[in-house]
Amino acid sequence: MAVAADASADAPTGGSSADPSATTDGTTTARPATRPGLSPSRAGDFLQCPLLFRFRVVDRLPEPPSSAAARGTLVHAVLENLFGLPAVQRTLQAAHGLLPEQWDLLRERTPEVAELFADDGALADWLDSARSLLATYFTLEDPRRLEPAERELYVVTDLEDGPQLRGIVDRVDVAPNGWVRVVDYKTGKSPRAGYESSALFQMRFYAYVLWRTRGVLPKRLQLEYLGDGTMLQHEPTEPEMLTFEARIRSIWAGIQEAAAADDWRTRRSRLCDWCSFRAHCPEYGGTPPLVDPDAVERAIGVRPRSAGTAATVEADAVTVA
């Protein structure tokens, strides 16, 4: 398993959200969930703003595409397919050669992305920015020296007395001695020093699920930031995984309580500037849609207490009549 030199910190990103419903071609996959579930992206949503979590997970409000997210999807697709080539052919020229095909596939599966660009010049500039990100990738590692064990790996495990944990890992490398490395590409820039914890949350999530499902704790977690050519690496430990499990349980308990109380708080921050749901947000004069108790129960596994009370009152009234 080739290991790149340590690089500094990490940050907000573009690219794959690692949500199991999102794919590198911009489509969504219908994976039947046997129980309420949690991905690292949605856990991050709840920590960022509980109402954002509700809009995405319970209400499932549509979100318009963005050029940054579409570029992340495109670059992820190119890198995934690059490793489908024989090792000797994995060059920057080959990666650039994959761009037109992957762009055509993205437009075919998500036609609205073509509307992001006012003219051919804007599209050409956007594609050039994707080429630049791919060029940066080649400064971080040499794909000709790597043979990933798995790409775009869907991971899932049922947390006892908790949610089903699920996500998609960009790449898993396995060394001859059995050491496992988990790799995730980010098309944004790395965070400032001291702000790495939110980025590592996603990687710890993947490490925990792989540890629970395979019995092997990954040796290294590696985030590759193509926006500024930095790399964040971390070696997890079993005590750290147990602490992480406790944190996941705490987050899920918070989600369940918010669902039961129908109390989805807003949490205003600079990230609100990029939120797709400002028209529905009370912080900006909007009104959230009425919550559907059935949708809450499907997504979270609990019903709002107010819905249960209303149903009981109605049933009592019928009985008295």
Side-chain angles (χ1 to χ4, degrees):
M1 175 172 64
V3 176
D6 284 343
S8 58
D10 164 81
T13 67
S16 172
S17 66
D19 190 313
S21 64
T23 67
T24 54
D25 56 27
T27 63
T28 56
T29 56
R31 300 183 187 275
T34 57
R35 58 194 291 186
L38 192 64
S39 72
S41 299
R42 300 295 77 87
D45 286 345
F46 185 77
L47 294 174
Q48 177 184 326
C49 174
L51 185 59
L52 171 65
F53 175 91
R54 188 203 124 175
F55 285 155
R56 282 181 167 155
V57 175
V58 177
D59 302 310
R60 302 182 67 84
L61 298 181
E63 298 186 66
S66 73
S67 59
R71 182 174 57 196
T73 298
L74 179 61
V75 169
H76 275 75
V78 169
L79 291 176
E80 179 190 1
N81 284 276
L82 181 69
F83 281 102
L85 299 175
V88 70
Q89 296 179 21
R90 297 174 199 155
T91 63
L92 176 57
Q93 182 179 11
H96 285 172
L98 289 169
L99 264 176
E101 175 188 355
Q102 293 304 316
W103 168 236
D104 287 343
L105 287 172
L106 181 57
R107 283 189 304 173
E108 178 183 332
R109 293 163 180 165
T110 315
E112 58 268 29
V113 298
E115 300 173 8
L116 293 170
F117 310 103
D119 51 42
D120 290 344
L123 173 59
D125 290 343
W126 181 79
L127 289 171
D128 281 343
S129 69
R131 291 187 185 94
S132 178
L133 292 173
L134 290 168
T136 301
Y137 165 74
F138 278 81
T139 69
L140 296 175
E141 59 184 6
D142 184 350
R144 295 172 299 181
R145 300 176 58 191
L146 301 170
E147 280 302 336
E150 292 162 296
R151 293 167 284 149
E152 294 298 307
L153 174 66
Y154 179 70
V155 295
V156 59
T157 190
D158 290 335
L159 187 62
E160 186 177 0
D161 299 323
Q164 184 179 82
L165 305 181
R166 45 187 184 250
I168 296 179
V169 182
D170 287 344
R171 199 180 86 212
V172 176
D173 301 334
V174 179
N177 64 0
W179 283 2
V180 174
R181 179 173 63 184
V182 178
V183 179
D184 195 73
Y185 312 119
K186 299 295 184 185
T187 51
K189 294 182 179 180
S190 61
R192 300 191 306 274
Y195 289 84
E196 305 91 347
S197 60
S198 61
L200 283 173
F201 177 88
Q202 175 185 1
M203 302 303 283
R204 290 187 176 106
F205 189 105
Y206 296 150
Y208 177 83
V209 175
L210 288 169
W211 180 48
R212 287 304 190 197
T213 55
R214 301 187 176 188
V216 176
L217 180 63
K219 177 66 174 177
R220 177 158 296 180
L221 310 178
Q222 183 164 299
L223 282 156
E224 300 182 2
Y225 284 91
L226 310 187
D228 57 8
T230 60
M231 187 180 291
L232 174 64
Q233 297 176 324
H234 178 72
E235 294 189 5
T237 65
E238 291 194 7
E240 179 184 342
M241 291 294 96
L242 296 176
T243 300
F244 181 80
E245 178 183 318
R247 188 180 184 199
I248 285 291
R249 290 186 182 280
S250 176
I251 293 170
W252 186 247
I255 291 171
Q256 289 194 307
E257 178 53 33
D262 191 19
D263 183 11
W264 304 96
R265 304 291 177 92
T266 58
R267 189 168 294 146
R268 192 160 183 163
S269 72
R270 288 187 299 173
L271 294 175
C272 295
D273 292 341
W274 290 272
C275 183
S276 302
F277 307 117
R278 286 172 55 144
H280 300 284
C281 180
E283 293 284 345
Y284 295 91
T287 302
L290 291 176
V291 72
D292 177 356
D294 291 337
V296 173
E297 189 169 17
R298 283 193 300 271
I300 314 301
V302 299
R303 287 184 75 80
R305 287 190 286 266
S306 57
T309 301
T312 301
V313 169
E314 182 179 349
D316 289 345
V318 170
T319 301
V320 171

